[in-house]
Each structure stands twice: as structure tokens, then as C-alpha cells.
Amino acid sequence: MTSTTTPVRARALRGALRTVGRIASTIWSNPRARIGVVLLAIFILAATFAPWLAPYGASQDGFERSAGGSAAHWLGTTAAGEDVLSQIIWGARVSVFVGFAAGAIATVIAVLIGLSWGYSRGFGGEVVGFIVNLFLVIPGLPLMIVIASYLQNGGIAMIIAVIVVTGWAWGARVLRSQTQTLRSRDFVTAARFAGDSSFRIIFREILPNMTSLITGAFFGAATAAILAEAGLEFLGLGDPTTVSWGTMLFWAQNSNALLTGQWLLLFAPGLCIALLATSLTLINFGVDGISNPRLREGKGR
Amino acid sequence: MTYALRKLGMLLLTLWAAVTLNFFLPRLMPGSPADAAIAKLSQNGPVSAATRAAIEAQLGVPGGNLLEQYVHYLQQVVTLDFGVSFTFYPEKVSDLVLTALPYTVVLVGIVTVLAFVIGTLIGVLAAWKRGTWMDTLPTLGGSFLSAFPYFWIALLLLFFAGYVGHLFPTSGASSPTAVPEFSLSFIGDLIYHAALPALTILITSLGGWILGMRNAMINTLGDDYVTFAEANGLRGRTVALKYAARNAILPNLTGFGLALGGVVGGSILVEQVYGYPGIGYLLYNAVVNQDYPLMQALFLMITVSVLIANFLVDILYGVLDPRTRR
């Protein structure tokens, strides 16, 4: 038994690795996407090695309050006497984690719904379509704010859940239209005549043809998640005791950093959010090139 | 005509679904939002039976008959009777919402149309001059700008143009001494106060339009009829604007309705930073004070506005593209 399945598995694994390699090299061949990959790597490294990189603890206080930049505190201190640079480095953990976790969960839901919805041709498809369109047009942030306000101070898990609830619909719609064009192709018809189950056709035959779209949907969802997380925490809807870029801006505004003139405290967290989100957008430039050769770099029209 | 009727039917169906979602949202939440709301309201004095009924219809009574509540709730929505706010006691929720609505509608409306026009033009130029700095600068800048958190741009502009530069007022929609009247000086005062919020929304929403139009335009530029037009020796500008851009603008317009939801969401954060008395600032106040009746009414109002705007874009799309009317 094992002697026959192992080579099959190995081949499937090698095939998957080759797909990942092909995506990675197409992304890397795009100069814009390359900048994005480097930026993202910096943030992931900062998040991983925060305990070694940060000069002080995330909520270690007792320093001079509301100080400007100095040799001891490069980016100054907060109104509670914490080191801003250390908080920036520690805060990377929350943004990177929420972005990837919420992006991944939203993408999995989008794949499940988008593919089965695109493959089915019945009344059920119409109902699912209506629900997806409803979630697309309902403004996401207000919905998140309302849900988060009922679940008072739920912390990071609550924020991820709220982002996923509002963030899966876009990917589902993109994947659905691609599934619709693929479902009438010959290889799908052949699989159907061979007696494969719908489940197998959707996830073994159609899914591998959409890796680039799924990658794109993931980076899109992760970008939206990072911005949404920061927005919710800025409004004070997360757990304000967590150290993240969003809560840093929340405390900066609440401690009147605008009046005391601490522009570094306002500037640094927002710039990090913007750079992290930009890195994912830039990577998506390269991902666009996988599915649409017209958008590839290098040659003009 | 059937196209418009079909879209109208779709609008009514989505409106009903949004209203129903708004009904179930507080009822699905842990705890009892209605009890919390009534407890808060009773701090201001005795709660009248009518107010209690209004809040319970909106937020739910534990163990009550769901169907009865739903009918009562629909009546409430149609008559715009959402009870009393306890943050701004004893103001009625509907009055508060209607006072704040024009600020947001005018601000977001004007800025969104501006951003669409400017962004689309830059996108056309970027695709036409593909590979040169006129392409690289707007696309890189655009993707960077659209990744900016709304509230961060708002904070920076407020800090540098408001507190440090003293170029613009730091909060409010008009000067404290201004008299609301239909005069040039009062309108000028309103514009002066709306300048920074408008600039913030413009900066953050521009990027999406540039990128969308550029990509759509690059696709049409690869089509045969564009090559044919060029081979015929037509001037570059004629090919770009009359052949390629006209067809590329349609897919970009579909994004308009969806982008609007994002802009409305972003404007909540912007209004909070600038203390601009629109829907978003009111929603922020409702959330901070756990003023659930006000919050539910505002969420409903925001959703309905976006749905109606989407419907109008759909109708416009049908007028512009005869193929969709089939």
C-alpha cells in the first residue's frame, strides 16, 4: 500500500513545489514586486526577532514622559513614558500576524465558496450570489465597527474574526468568475465523464489552475486586514493594552500628541502600517503578471 | 427599461436584506444590548414606555416573539422612529442622523467624484506612456497612497497644516461664531473647514482609481482595433482618448460602487480626527458611549446610502454601455 502511494505523493509534492517556485520567480522578476518582497521580509524579521531587536520591553515604562527623539530613545517616548522605537518593533508582530491570519482565513473561505458557487449551476448559486453581493456592497468598516462595539474589548482574536466576516466576499467573487470559465473546458468535461465526484473536480482539477488568482486574493485580503485592524484599534475598539501600531496611534491622539508637538509618535506607526500594506500591494503587481501576461513588465505594447 | 426595472428590483431586495441584517445583528450578540441601552438611558431619568418599546424593537427583547419584534422593527424603520439617544439626551435619534447626514453626503460625494475624474485621467496617461517615468511615478505613488491608513493622513495633515502651520482650522464644520445662512461668507467658511477632510479622502482614494484605470487601459491598448487605429495614422491623443480610454473606463466604473463603501468607511475615521460633525463622527460617539440605538440607526443609514449610490451607478452604467441593457 505505502509503496504505491509514496511515489504518487512525492510527485504531487514536487508538482506543488514547482508551482510555488514558478509563482515566486514570476513575482521576483517584477522589479516592483521585488521591492515588496524585501520590505515584507524586513517586517517579518522585525516581528520574529522583536525581543532581540527592541532596545526595551513593549510596555516597559518609567522613562521621561512625552520626550522627543534622543540617543537613548531614537523616536522619543510616549505620554506614559514608554520607548516608541521598542513599541514600533513589538507592534510589527500584531500587524503581521493579523494580516496573515485574517488574510489566510478569508482566502480559505473565499476559495470554498467561490469555487463551489462557480461550479454549481442551480438556484443555490443564485442565493449564494445574492449573499456575496450583499457583503460586497455593505460598507465593511462600519459593519466591523458595529460588531466590534457589541463584543467589547475582544482582543486580537475578535479583530481577526470581524475582519474575516467582512473580508471574504471580494475573493469569492473573483474566484467564482474564473471557475465559471474553467468549468466548461475539456479537461473538466473529461473528468466528469471519467466519473469523478464534483468535490474532486473542483479541488483537484480546477483549483490548481487558479493558484495565481488565489495568491492575489490572499495578498489583497491581507492588505485590507492590516488597514482594518489599525483602523479598529485607532478607534479604541480593540484591546487598548495590546501594543500595536493602531493602539499606539490611539494613545497618541488621546494623550494630545498633536498639541505637545510629538510628530515622531504620530509619524512612525502610521508609516509602518503604510509600508507593510504597500509591500503586499507591490507583491500583487508581480502576481497580476502571472495571470495576465499583458501586465508583465519588460515589454511595451 | 427592463434593465432599470430589474436593477430597481435588485435594489429593493438588497435594501430588505440590509434592513433584516440590521435587525438580527444586535440579537445575535452575546449579552443583551437592549438591557444595556435601557440601563444607560435610565441614568438620565425615568424611561417612558414608548422609548422602551422603541429600543426593544430595535435591539431585541430576550425571549420575546421574534416575528412580532420584526414587524414592529419594520414599522420603526419606515417611520424613522429609532427612539432617543442617551449620549445626546433627550435628542431623538432620527433628528441627530438627519442633521449629520448632509455634511457627510456633500463631503464624500464631491470628493469621490473629484478623485474618480482625476485618478482616471492620470491612469490613462500612465498606460499611454507605459514604461516611462509618467507611468512609474503614478503607479508606485498610487499603490503607496492607497496603502495609507485614512486616519494617519488625517492626523499628519491636521498636525502640519492645522497645529503647526495654522493654515486651516483644527476641528468642526464651521466657525463657532458663524451664522448659518445662505451667504458667500458662510459657504466660504464651510469650504475652509471641509478642506483638510476633503484633501485627506482625496489623497487616499486617488491611488485606487489610477491603478484600476491603468490596468484596464493596458488591456484595451492590446486590442486589435487600437492597433488598427494606430496603423491608420490617427494622432496618438485621438487613439488614447477616443479609442482606448472610452472602453477602458467601463470596468473602472464598476469599481466605483464598491469603492464607495470603502470611502464611506474611511470617512468615519477622517471625521473622527477632524471632529467633523457628519455621520462618521456621530457613529464614533455612539460607539464610544455604547449608544446602541444611535449606532444601529447610523449603520442602517450608511448601508442604505451606499446601496442607493450603487443603484445609481448601475443605471449610469446601463446608459453608457448598451450591451448591459440586453
Side-chain angles (χ1 to χ4, degrees):
Chain A
M1 185 70 194
T2 42
S3 60
T4 52
T5 51
T6 316
V8 173
R9 254 200 219 130
R11 206 182 310 140
L13 187 70
R14 224 177 301 133
L17 279 178
R18 207 179 307 130
T19 315
V20 171
R22 194 169 46 85
I23 290 180
S25 76
T26 316
I27 292 175
W28 188 254
S29 70
N30 182 315
R32 277 168 216 178
R34 214 177 297 158
I35 301 173
V37 171
V38 172
L39 266 177
L40 181 63
I42 294 174
F43 280 113
I44 292 179
L45 287 177
T48 317
F49 298 107
W52 294 276
L53 286 172
Y56 306 100
S59 349
Q60 185 183 343
D61 50 9
F63 304 114
E64 186 193 348
R65 287 158 191 262
S66 303
S70 65
H73 305 281
W74 290 2
L75 297 178
T77 56
T78 66
E82 298 141 330
D83 181 50
V84 174
L85 179 64
S86 303
Q87 291 208 327
I88 291 276
I89 296 173
W90 282 98
R93 293 194 154 190
V94 177
S95 283
V96 170
F97 177 70
V98 170
F100 277 83
I105 302 173
T107 310
V108 168
I109 298 177
V111 166
L112 289 177
I113 292 181
L115 266 69
S116 41
W117 172 34
Y119 187 73
S120 69
R121 300 172 194 247
F123 178 71
E126 300 278 315
V127 176
V128 176
F130 181 72
I131 295 170
V132 172
N133 282 330
L134 187 68
F135 271 91
L136 274 177
V137 286
I138 287 181
L141 192 67
L143 182 57
M144 287 188 228
I145 291 175
V146 167
I147 299 177
S149 158
Y150 283 123
L151 312 168
Q152 286 290 316
N153 298 333
I156 289 171
M158 180 274 285
I159 286 191
I160 292 178
V162 170
I163 293 173
V164 168
V165 165
T166 55
W168 57 275
W170 177 253
R173 195 161 89 163
V174 173
L175 294 173
R176 175 243 189 174
S177 44
Q178 182 66 14
T179 312
Q180 279 182 324
T181 61
L182 287 176
R183 74 177 174 199
S184 46
R185 294 279 174 84
D186 288 344
F187 69 93
V188 175
T189 319
R192 204 179 298 132
F193 284 153
D196 284 352
S197 66
S198 300
F199 183 84
R200 201 196 133 84
I201 295 177
I202 292 174
F203 292 103
R204 297 299 288 273
E205 302 286 340
I206 296 182
L207 182 71
N209 287 295
M210 305 212 291
T211 31
S212 69
L213 274 182
I214 295 170
T215 319
F218 167 72
F219 284 118
T223 314
I226 289 164
L227 291 176
E229 178 250 342
L232 288 176
E233 291 195 321
F234 173 67
L235 289 178
L237 287 170
D239 177 1
T241 57
T242 328
V243 173
S244 75
W245 298 333
T247 49
M248 284 177 76
L249 286 167
F250 168 75
W251 288 116
Q253 204 201 13
N254 277 6
S255 61
N256 289 322
L258 286 166
L259 284 172
T260 56
Q262 270 195 290
W263 67 275
L264 272 172
L265 183 54
L266 294 173
F267 189 74
L271 185 69
C272 287
I273 299 167
L275 283 176
L276 181 58
T278 312
S279 75
L280 300 178
T281 317
L282 288 176
I283 292 174
N284 245 352
F285 270 113
V287 176
D288 280 344
I290 301 172
S291 51
N292 189 348
R294 275 183 184 174
L295 290 174
R296 265 184 212 163
E297 297 296 317
K299 56 185 174 72
R301 285 182 289 125
Chain B
M1 200 57 215
T2 43
Y3 171 78
L5 280 178
R6 211 169 60 228
K7 287 290 170 194
L8 187 65
M10 203 59 200
L11 170 72
L12 293 177
L13 200 60
T14 15
L15 278 180
W16 167 78
V19 166
T20 307
L21 175 75
N22 200 45
F23 171 79
F24 280 109
L25 214 49
R27 287 169 172 78
L28 289 173
M29 293 299 156
S32 170
D35 281 350
I38 292 169
K40 277 225 166 185
L41 195 55
S42 58
Q43 289 168 1
N44 292 318
V47 181
S48 74
T51 312
R52 176 181 284 271
I55 289 175
E56 284 180 344
Q58 210 177 345
L59 300 172
V61 198
N65 181 340
L66 215 55
L67 188 69
E68 255 172 42
Q69 289 180 47
Y70 187 58
V71 173
H72 190 170
Y73 164 80
L74 287 182
Q75 282 173 350
Q76 225 187 5
V77 171
V78 172
T79 54
L80 290 180
D81 169 26
F82 297 102
V84 187
S85 156
F86 44 77
T87 320
F88 302 95
Y89 191 81
E91 294 256 19
K92 277 166 70 181
V93 168
S94 49
D95 289 347
L96 286 167
V97 175
L98 290 179
T99 320
L101 192 63
Y103 287 106
T104 304
V105 169
V106 173
L107 178 72
V108 172
I110 292 179
V111 176
T112 308
V113 172
L114 260 182
F116 178 73
V117 172
I118 300 174
T120 303
L121 285 176
I122 297 179
V124 168
L125 190 72
W128 187 246
K129 303 277 182 191
R130 190 168 174 210
T132 67
W133 66 270
M134 273 197 263
D135 175 26
T136 317
L137 188 72
T139 41
L140 274 186
S143 41
F144 195 42
L145 284 186
S146 54
F148 279 4
Y150 275 83
F151 56 92
W152 183 54
I153 297 289
L155 281 173
L156 288 184
L157 280 178
L158 179 61
F159 181 67
F160 288 109
Y163 284 99
V164 177
H166 299 292
L167 297 171
F168 290 98
T170 52
S171 81
S174 57
S175 305
T177 51
V179 189
E181 54 180 3
F182 195 75
S183 72
L184 218 55
S185 67
F186 182 66
I187 292 173
D189 190 49
L190 284 180
I191 294 176
Y192 184 49
H193 280 77
L196 282 185
L199 192 60
T200 310
I201 301 176
L202 187 67
I203 288 175
T204 34
S205 58
L206 201 57
W209 299 124
I210 298 178
L211 296 180
M213 188 61 189
R214 173 189 178 266
N215 286 358
M217 177 91 174
I218 281 176
N219 270 323
T220 50
L221 281 178
D223 282 339
D224 289 341
Y225 66 90
V226 175
T227 320
F228 181 66
E230 278 188 309
N232 272 343
L234 291 176
R235 277 190 309 156
R237 205 173 49 178
T238 316
V239 178
L241 293 177
K242 294 210 166 151
Y243 283 73
R246 270 182 145 187
N247 285 296
I249 206 164
L250 282 168
N252 212 20
L253 196 61
T254 352
F256 193 91
L258 298 177
L260 197 65
V263 176
V264 169
S267 77
I268 293 174
L269 299 165
V270 172
E271 285 181 5
Q272 192 262 336
V273 172
Y274 291 108
Y276 195 79
I279 291 287
Y281 189 54
L282 201 55
L283 180 62
Y284 171 74
N285 275 316
V287 165
V288 167
N289 298 301
Q290 295 178 42
D291 192 343
Y292 293 139
L294 183 56
M295 190 176 80
Q296 284 295 120
L298 282 169
F299 177 63
L300 190 66
M301 187 53 105
I302 293 171
T303 313
V304 167
S305 314
V306 172
L307 289 180
I308 291 175
N310 261 304
F311 167 72
L312 294 178
V313 171
D314 274 344
I315 295 295
L316 180 66
Y317 199 90
V319 173
L320 290 179
D321 187 356
R323 283 172 302 180
T324 53
R325 268 178 275 161
R326 269 183 302 164

